[in-house]
Each structure stands twice: as C-alpha cells, then as structure tokens.
C-alpha cells in the first residue's frame, strides 16, 4: 500500500516531504505523539523525570521523527496533558538538522529534529486527520505564554485605536538616558517648535561670536597691510620680494604654526617693516582669507 501511494500515485506523507525539503516545516499539520524521550534524568516518586527536558517522537501515520519542544510544552508533558497517543496541531515549526541538504526520513531520525513552539500549537481531537491541515491553529491572548515562542495566528478584536505617541530620549554627559513623554501630535509639534527656536537662538549667538572674532582679525589684517605697504605686500605674495633676509627673521619662524586667534601677538612682533612680508607669509595670511570666505557661507572650518 505504501509503494502504491508514494511511488505509483506520488503522494508522499508530510514528514517525508519535510525532511527532503520538498515542503516547508512551517506548514500547518497534525501529528500524533508516538513516544516521549527523557535523556539523563532522575525520576521523582511518581515516576516522572524531574530535572530533564523531554523530547517528543511524532508520527504522521507513516513515518516518525523526533521533535524538540519549548518550556510550555515541556510543562504540559510533565502535567500529563501531552502523552503518547495524543494528537498535536501546530504551525510555524522548523527543522533543526546537521545536514544542509534534504535527506530521506528513514535516514535522518537521529540527525534531524522538528522544532515546535507552544504558542503555535494546541491539542487536536482524537478524530482529527493526520497530515497537513488547511489552516493554522488560532491562538488567543489567554493561551499565550511569555516563553512560548512565535505565534502563527491570533484572533483579536480591536476595541480602541490610540493616536501616535512620541517619546523623546535624552542622554546626559554621563551616558544616563532619560525619556520625556509620551506626547501626542500637538505636544510633539510644540516641543519641536520650542527646540527650533532654541536652536536658532544658539546659532545666532555662535554667529555673533565668530563675527566678533572676524572683525578683530580683520582689524589686525588691515593694520598689518598698512604697516607693510601695498607694494611690499604684493611682492611678498608673489614670492618676488627683493628685500634681504635679516638675522632676526629666524625668530619669526616660530609664528608660522600659530593659530589665527593669536595673530595679535604677531602684530606686536612686527617692529621692522622690512621683515613684514616674510612674517605675513610664514603666519599663513592666506589661510585667514580662506577662513573669511568660508565664514560667509556658514560655519568657519
């Protein structure tokens, strides 16, 4: 009869289809518990293992396969709700196999297991037909457990729809995170507007601060150019200055790596107008002009 069904008519049982990877293990199905396996366990006074996690052996009426269950189903086994001969309807299961490719069900009993979750399964009546079922088991909120795994399908009724809630998370300097909210849409818009005004105020302060610095640096620049003179300034930029290098010039090399905010100290060092072109070149005068152009488009570099 098995030869006629599987070979001649091409109707293979569910477990064989699953182990050969011809059908997904997540399909809804009904299987029968053919054995309960307890490994490395000690037995209590009522002959029930007390410290081991049980493992089921399930069958589709033709073949058998080992099944790994989670904590809620293990508790049902210990209480006697799941026992040999009972039928289980489940969905969203998956295969745990040592092999990546499919294999025949008779050859993979010790290397392949069917993993079943409690939230996607329930007890089937005694007259239920084994094999694939047309639809998954429908769970309710009352039947779910926190450690019961995934939920294949759930029947709920929407009694109220809440508006979108906004929560703002704030981290302080120590890394401690706090939250403000929840807020509704109007409160979120008001908070966003308040933050935008604060941002614009801080931006204006920052721009005023840098504008003040720029005005001071521009004043230094004008004073340096006046002391240098237009002809000497042009020749120094072109690298064609004919002035001789003074021994005092080596002391001014210290200023070539100075930041722009100490340019006033350079001005104080310009005692000899003949040294002014070289000092200005060594103190990155051109960087000051680049800084000015960048500031007009936004923040300084």
């Amino acid at each position: 009869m098995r030869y006629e069904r599987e070979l001649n008519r091409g109707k293979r049982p569910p477990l064989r289809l699953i182990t050969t990877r011809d059908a997904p293990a997540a399909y809804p199905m009904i299987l029968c518990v053919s054995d309960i396996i307890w490994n490395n366990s000690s037995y209590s006074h009522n002959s029930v293992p007390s410290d081991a996690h049980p493992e089921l052996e399930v069958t589709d009426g033709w073949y058998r396969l080992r099944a790994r269950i989670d904590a809620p189903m293990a508790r049902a086994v210990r209480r006697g709700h799941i026992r040999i001969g009972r039928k289980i309807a489940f969905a969203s299961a998956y295969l745990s196999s040592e092999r990546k490719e499919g294999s025949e069900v008779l050859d993979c009993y010790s290397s392949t297991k069917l993993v079943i979750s409690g939230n996607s399964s329930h007890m089937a009546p005694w007259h239920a037909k084994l094999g694939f079922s047309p639809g998954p088991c429908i769970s309710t909120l009352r039947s779910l457990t926190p450690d019961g795994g995934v939920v294949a399908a759930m029947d709920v009724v929407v009694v109220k729809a809440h508006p979108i809630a906004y929560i703002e998370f704030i981290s302080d300097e120590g890394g401690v995170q706090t939250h403000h909210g929840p807020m509704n849409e109007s409160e979120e818009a008001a908070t966003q507007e308040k933050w935008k005004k604060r941002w614009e105020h801080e931006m204006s302060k920052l721009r005023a601060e840098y504008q003040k610095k720029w005005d001071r640096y521009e004043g230094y620049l004008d004073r340096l150019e006046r002391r240098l003179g237009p002809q000497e300034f042009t020749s120094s930029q072109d690298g064609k200055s004919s002035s001789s290098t003074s021994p005092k010039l080596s002391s001014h090399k210290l200023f070539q790596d100075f930041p722009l905010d100490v340019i006033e100290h350079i001005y104080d060092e310009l005692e000899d107008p003949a040294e002014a072109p070289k000092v200005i070149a060594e103190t990155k005068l051109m960087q000051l002009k680049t800084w000015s152009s960048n500031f007009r488009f936004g923040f300084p570099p």
Side-chain angles (χ1 to χ4, degrees):
M1 185 175 180
R2 179 180 298 179
Y3 182 89
E4 174 69 20
R5 181 180 178 86
E6 295 187 23
L7 298 181
N8 292 342
R9 290 190 287 174
K11 296 181 179 179
R12 291 176 292 171
L15 290 183
R16 187 178 180 188
L17 289 172
I18 292 173
T19 55
T20 56
R21 304 298 200 276
D22 292 327
Y27 273 175
M29 69 184 78
I30 299 176
L31 299 179
C32 180
V33 179
S34 57
D35 195 10
I36 299 177
I37 304 169
W38 302 88
N39 296 321
N40 302 325
S41 60
S42 60
Y43 290 85
S44 60
H45 65 280
N46 55 357
S47 299
V48 176
S50 57
D51 60 350
H53 192 82
E55 191 175 86
L56 302 182
E57 181 188 85
V58 293
T59 179
D60 57 6
W62 295 92
Y63 299 102
R64 60 194 178 100
L65 192 66
R66 301 175 72 176
R68 191 169 68 213
I69 58 178
D70 55 8
M73 296 187 69
R75 291 193 293 266
V77 171
R78 289 190 176 90
R79 290 195 298 264
H81 296 302
I82 299 178
R83 55 183 182 271
I84 298 175
R86 296 296 299 271
K87 296 180 180 180
I88 302 177
F90 59 89
S92 299
Y94 65 92
L95 280 182
S96 175
S97 177
E98 300 175 358
R99 307 175 183 177
K100 295 182 179 179
E101 66 280 356
S103 56
E104 286 295 333
V105 64
L106 296 176
D107 301 330
C108 63
Y109 178 81
S110 59
S111 61
T112 304
K113 295 180 181 179
L114 190 65
V115 182
I116 307 173
S117 61
N119 286 340
S120 296
S121 61
H122 66 87
M123 303 305 301
W126 64 271
H127 56 80
K129 184 180 179 180
L130 297 179
F132 292 122
S133 57
C137 58
I138 306 299
S139 303
T140 60
L141 290 176
R142 183 179 180 182
S143 64
L144 301 181
T145 55
D147 53 351
V150 299
V151 181
M154 186 169 57
D155 184 19
V156 296
V157 177
V158 179
V159 296
K160 187 177 182 180
H162 294 274
I164 299 176
Y166 299 86
I167 299 178
E168 180 181 6
F169 292 91
I170 304 173
S171 299
D172 57 10
E173 297 180 355
V176 180
Q177 191 177 73
T178 58
H179 71 275
H180 175 65
M183 300 175 290
N184 56 30
E185 190 171 358
S186 60
E187 293 174 341
E188 170 65 16
T191 303
Q192 184 71 15
E193 184 66 23
K194 182 179 179 181
W195 179 88
K196 185 177 180 180
K197 290 181 179 180
R198 180 182 176 186
W199 179 81
E200 292 176 351
H201 176 69
E202 295 296 331
M203 282 290 296
S204 61
K205 289 175 57 179
L206 191 61
R207 288 182 180 275
E209 179 183 353
Y210 279 100
Q211 183 64 41
K212 183 178 180 181
K213 288 183 178 180
W214 164 247
D215 293 341
R216 185 171 74 252
Y217 295 152
E218 195 174 40
Y220 293 151
L221 181 61
D222 293 340
R223 292 158 66 185
L224 289 172
E225 290 182 349
R226 286 196 301 270
R227 175 173 293 191
L228 173 63
Q231 296 180 355
E232 294 182 356
F233 180 72
T234 304
S235 63
S236 67
Q237 287 186 330
D238 297 338
K240 300 178 181 179
S241 177
S242 58
S243 59
S244 59
T245 303
S246 173
K248 295 182 181 180
L249 201 59
S250 60
S251 63
H252 294 298
K253 292 182 179 180
L254 297 174
F255 301 113
Q256 63 183 358
D257 295 327
F258 276 15
L260 295 176
D261 55 354
V262 293
I263 195 172
E264 59 266 25
H265 300 298
I266 301 175
Y267 175 80
D268 296 335
E269 294 292 331
L270 291 177
E271 299 177 356
D272 188 359
E275 299 178 3
K278 189 65 176 179
V279 173
I280 294 177
E282 292 178 351
T283 52
K284 306 177 183 178
L285 182 59
M286 299 308 298
Q287 290 188 6
L288 183 59
K289 294 185 176 181
T290 303
W291 187 92
S292 172
S293 62
N294 290 337
F295 181 80
R296 291 188 178 93
F297 292 99
F299 290 107

